[in-house]
Amino acid sequence: MMEKGDSSQKLYKRMRLWEFPDQYVVEPTDGSSGSCLEISRVDGSMKLIDEIPHCSSLRVPKIRTIFGVIGILKLLAGSYLLVITERESVGSYMGHPIFKVSSMKVFPCDHSLKNTPVEQKKMEAEFSALLNVAEKTPGLYFSYDVNITLSAQRLHDLGDESKLLPLWRQADPRFLWNNYMMEVLIDHKLDPFLLPVVQGSFHNFQAAIGKDIVDVTLIARRCNRRTGTRMWRRGADTDGFVANFVESEQIIQLNGCTASFVQVRGSIPLLWDQIVDLTYKPKFEIVRLEEAPRVAERHFLDLRKKYGNVLSVDLVNKHGGEGRLNEKFANAMQHVDGDDVRYLHFDFHHICGHVHFERLSILYDQIEDFFIKNRYFLLNEKDEKVEVQLGVVRTNCIDCLDRTNVTQSMLGRRMLEFQLRRLGIFDAEETISTHSNLDESFKILWANHGDDISIQYSGTPALKGDFVRFGKRTVQGIVNDGRNALMRYYLNNFVDGTKQDAIDLMQGHYIMSVSRDMTATSQKGGIEAIASFPLALGLILTGLFFATLSLGRVQNDVWNLLFSLIWASISLAIAALVKANGRMFCNRPRLHQSRR
């Protein structure tokens, strides 16, 4: 075990990675006087060293600049070092620079594999291949100077002692994307190398309002407790942690004052699945319904502890498969509803349709009392706390992407107007829409925010994004929605299974082990693949038949006909791709299903 370093030492902001034949050496090059970190390429063991090892003239080491160590991942036989190789400055949070990971790279420490059985080498190769998928993880952000896992209110409320701790110790573990991968570095007390990374979104803009300039920032923080991809991660687990849980914080800075407003989104907190089966909308499967009240209670208990009062806005359809989920959710909420938790259903599609999103004003009228009563966080120009946010609006639809983002952007707009009136910039009747520059920038801000969250969960930008971006539905937006919906179908069925395994691997949700069952699974081949294509093609053509048949019920609607043609072309292309690849969506590497 290494000696404990100075906890007040800052994170290293720039380093060199030396690639020697038997070890990697990470050397701080940002002016810090700290030691170098040596990592064995044989077994991943590490130690601090005072100087770079002597370089052989025969084997000159490769040298590259890196901007952070994400962590180390242990697999069956080898360990793998993840580092940031490129970064992009994207703005500032509470006065400190924020960076986006532009590129990260995995370096294997797997020389010990030479002495392992062939079967284990094959399994290690399958697992390490998942790291190639993980290298492309989108939306990773970090700061060397400020804890971006905490909202402005929680950051301000940190005690003086907590603020002296290394950033990783201050962090909210829910939003620490590399929490699991940091464990080895934490065990060795390598604080200057421990860089907290958040997955989500970060965008900001400045706009003039008369002589005043307002700075608006929007941050998304994705929870790592039930992280994954659309269809492959739905609902809640038995502890009440839900899929696609995201904390969104809208911050404004104006004339020395800072105001913050937090919203959250997350999947319906029941035990439910939607198993991919090549149909466009697989059936919703509610699991262990008798546990629904307990799971929902655990979920909202956690929200109350972290955010105070909770208003749960459910945007799903009242009928069909969504209607069943809505009914069970509403029933479960009867056991949770109280003074500090309120449930409200708003049938988004029934009330707003596909174009009349301005009717969300009906929803706002129903929740305005909660909205105003629970306030927002506000610091005056002396950095004194003037207002505190006492509660949070929790919004969900089925995916918690498209309807949710439209709704959250509306609430963010209302709150910004509310805050600008409080700060004396707007009069009582003034709105964002009366300032064209502010209005346009605000729409783009929320549209980009929604796209980022959607890409991370579904693989495509958000649907209905044209309304958020332009304030109305457009022909191009409708066409884009059709294309993105088709792309989601393809990704859900043919790509996201492998991506889900990569996510679970990175988050430490499973323990890897070699077993006969696993090796048998990994060796499945031709017969399964051949059988999959007729099934895939049959289901796709059947879906096309019913899609076309349904158009007969819609009169004088050219767009539905256009969508039918698009669906037909893309679906046939998917079928051809399945045939060319000769494998079905579910034929992918599998992780041993043992929770950490």
Side-chain angles (χ1 to χ4, degrees):
M1 187 67 65
M2 300 175 187
E3 293 182 3
K4 185 174 181 179
D6 181 5
S7 62
S8 65
Q9 192 171 8
K10 297 293 185 180
L11 284 166
Y12 298 139
K13 298 182 180 181
R14 182 184 293 265
M15 291 156 277
R16 286 195 194 99
L17 178 65
W18 297 71
E19 298 180 53
F20 293 96
D22 297 318
Q23 71 264 3
Y24 300 111
V25 175
V26 181
E27 175 196 12
T29 58
D30 58 358
S32 303
S33 57
S35 300
C36 301
L37 175 62
E38 180 184 272
I39 304 167
S40 170
R41 297 182 69 169
V42 177
D43 57 8
S45 61
M46 58 187 70
K47 63 181 179 180
L48 293 175
I49 57 177
D50 293 327
E51 57 184 24
I52 302 298
H54 176 70
C55 302
S56 169
S57 58
L58 297 178
R59 302 189 67 177
V60 179
K62 293 181 181 178
I63 304 173
R64 70 179 71 216
T65 298
I66 64 172
F67 300 97
V69 177
I70 289 177
I72 290 182
L73 192 65
K74 287 183 174 293
L75 297 186
L76 291 172
S79 294
Y80 297 81
L81 171 69
L82 284 78
V83 300
I84 298 169
T85 52
E86 294 180 31
R87 69 184 182 188
E88 173 190 357
S89 178
V90 293
S92 64
Y93 179 59
M94 308 305 288
H96 299 284
I98 303 298
F99 298 91
K100 181 178 182 179
V101 176
S102 301
S103 175
M104 65 177 175
K105 187 170 177 58
V106 176
F107 292 90
C109 307
D110 59 355
H111 288 186
S112 60
L113 273 175
K114 296 175 183 178
N115 302 318
T116 58
V118 174
E119 185 178 277
Q120 189 165 342
K121 288 179 181 178
K122 183 175 180 180
M123 290 304 301
E124 184 81 2
E126 289 189 7
F127 287 131
S128 61
L130 294 176
L131 297 180
N132 295 329
V133 177
E135 279 185 339
K136 300 176 177 63
T137 302
L140 301 180
Y141 297 85
F142 64 93
S143 172
Y144 301 108
D145 306 303
V146 65
N147 181 2
I148 61 173
T149 68
L150 298 184
S151 66
Q153 179 167 315
R154 295 183 65 196
L155 193 61
H156 186 271
D157 290 343
L158 275 183
D160 292 338
E161 290 186 5
S162 296
K163 291 178 181 178
L164 294 176
L165 295 173
L167 289 182
W168 72 267
R169 295 190 64 186
Q170 300 177 27
D172 186 335
R174 295 179 302 159
F175 303 128
L176 195 54
W177 179 79
N178 57 333
N179 194 29
Y180 173 65
M181 291 173 279
M182 293 171 66
E183 287 184 358
V184 175
L185 301 179
I186 291 172
D187 290 342
H188 287 80
K189 297 179 171 52
L190 297 170
D191 288 346
F193 294 95
L194 286 161
L195 179 65
V197 177
V198 172
Q199 187 180 31
S201 178
F202 185 97
H203 296 281
N204 67 344
F205 71 86
Q206 289 185 334
I209 307 175
K211 295 181 180 180
D212 297 294
I213 296 177
V214 60
D215 186 293
V216 184
T217 300
L218 187 56
I219 304 173
R221 305 176 178 97
R222 292 179 60 83
C223 181
N224 58 29
R225 299 294 172 83
R226 190 165 168 77
T227 188
T229 58
R230 181 178 179 262
M231 300 292 186
W232 295 86
R233 278 292 181 273
R234 293 297 212 186
D237 62 19
T238 53
D239 293 321
F241 297 115
V242 296
N244 202 27
F245 184 86
V246 181
E247 177 184 279
S248 296
E249 182 182 19
Q250 181 177 290
I251 303 170
I252 67 167
Q253 293 177 298
L254 178 67
N255 296 335
C257 298
T258 299
S260 162
F261 174 60
V262 171
Q263 303 181 67
V264 296
R265 67 177 79 191
S267 192
I268 294 175
L270 305 176
L271 303 178
W272 64 280
D273 292 314
Q274 199 172 8
I275 306 300
V276 290
D277 58 6
L278 289 179
T279 58
Y280 178 63
K281 283 190 175 182
K283 290 183 179 179
F284 301 109
E285 300 290 341
I286 302 175
V287 184
R288 304 200 300 275
L289 185 58
E290 69 279 2
E291 296 187 34
R294 182 180 59 82
V295 171
E297 186 174 2
R298 284 187 174 184
H299 176 72
F300 283 95
L301 176 61
D302 183 62
L303 290 185
R304 290 202 304 271
K305 286 180 178 179
K306 292 182 170 64
Y307 300 101
N309 302 319
V310 182
L311 171 60
S312 178
V313 177
D314 183 13
L315 302 173
V316 302
N317 299 341
K318 193 71 173 179
H319 303 288
E322 289 191 13
R324 286 185 60 241
L325 274 174
N326 163 246
E327 178 187 357
K328 304 306 180 186
F329 186 20
N331 290 340
M333 290 303 295
Q334 292 178 9
H335 301 271
V336 180
D337 261 343
D339 294 337
D340 50 4
V341 177
R342 176 181 161 194
Y343 171 80
L344 173 68
H345 177 251
F346 182 83
D347 193 330
F348 186 102
H349 283 152
H350 177 71
I351 297 172
C352 300
H354 294 283
V355 292
H356 297 294
F357 298 160
E358 71 280 357
R359 293 177 184 169
L360 279 172
S361 60
I362 299 172
L363 170 63
Y364 180 76
D365 291 340
Q366 296 175 11
I367 68 174
E368 185 178 27
D369 58 334
F370 180 94
F371 196 69
I372 294 176
K373 180 181 178 181
N374 286 277
R375 314 298 289 174
Y376 52 90
F377 178 64
L378 177 63
L379 295 174
N380 63 19
E381 60 276 6
K382 297 179 181 179
D383 204 37
E384 297 170 337
K385 186 162 54 176
V386 179
E387 292 277 5
V388 175
Q389 185 170 344
L390 302 173
V392 70
V393 179
R394 180 203 191 276
T395 309
N396 76 269
C397 46
I398 288 298
D399 298 330
C400 304
L401 297 177
D402 312 316
R403 287 170 277 183
T404 294
N405 203 64
V406 172
T407 302
Q408 286 196 336
S409 68
M410 179 271 291
L411 295 178
R413 173 179 286 262
R414 296 277 187 158
M415 180 53 73
L416 179 55
E417 292 172 343
F418 198 68
Q419 292 166 337
L420 291 176
R421 293 187 190 107
R422 168 64 185 272
L423 295 173
I425 304 302
F426 276 6
D427 61 33
E429 303 300 323
E430 205 166 357
T431 64
I432 292 174
S433 59
T434 59
H435 299 268
S436 58
N437 290 338
L438 176 62
D439 186 44
E440 180 180 358
S441 297
F442 185 82
K443 289 173 182 174
I444 293 172
L445 181 81
W446 270 95
N448 291 338
H449 181 81
D451 284 347
D452 287 348
I453 295 171
S454 181
I455 287 169
Q456 291 159 28
Y457 190 51
S458 73
T460 76
L463 308 185
K464 304 176 178 68
D466 55 335
F467 180 81
V468 179
R469 196 175 297 274
F470 305 113
K472 62 181 180 180
R473 295 246 63 183
T474 64
V475 172
Q476 184 61 50
I478 294 172
V479 172
N480 288 341
D481 282 0
R483 182 178 65 248
N484 288 331
L486 290 171
M487 181 55 69
R488 285 183 181 182
Y489 170 82
Y490 168 74
L491 294 173
N492 296 159
N493 286 279
F494 301 97
V495 175
D496 284 351
T498 298
K499 185 178 177 182
Q500 184 65 55
D501 273 352
I503 292 171
D504 288 335
L505 195 65
M506 300 287 280
Q507 296 297 322
H509 290 169
Y510 296 90
I511 298 173
M512 284 68 65
S513 66
V514 176
S515 68
R516 291 182 181 179
D517 290 341
M518 288 179 66
T519 54
T521 298
S522 67
Q523 292 170 357
K524 288 181 180 179
I527 295 177
E528 182 185 80
I530 293 170
S532 71
F533 175 70
L535 175 61
L537 183 58
L539 288 172
I540 290 172
L541 292 178
T542 299
L544 286 172
F545 170 77
F546 284 111
T548 305
L549 188 64
S550 67
L551 291 180
R553 301 176 183 176
V554 182
Q555 298 179 352
N556 303 320
D557 194 334
V558 178
W559 288 113
N560 279 286
L561 178 60
L562 174 61
F563 289 143
S564 177
L565 295 174
I566 294 174
W567 277 100
S569 301
I570 301 299
S571 296
L572 290 174
I574 292 173
L577 181 61
V578 176
K579 184 176 182 180
N581 287 344
R583 59 188 177 189
M584 191 148 175
F585 62 91
C586 61
N587 186 26
R588 59 186 180 87
R590 286 169 174 78
L591 299 178
H592 185 53
Q593 304 293 305
S594 295
R595 291 285 176 181
R596 292 178 59 231

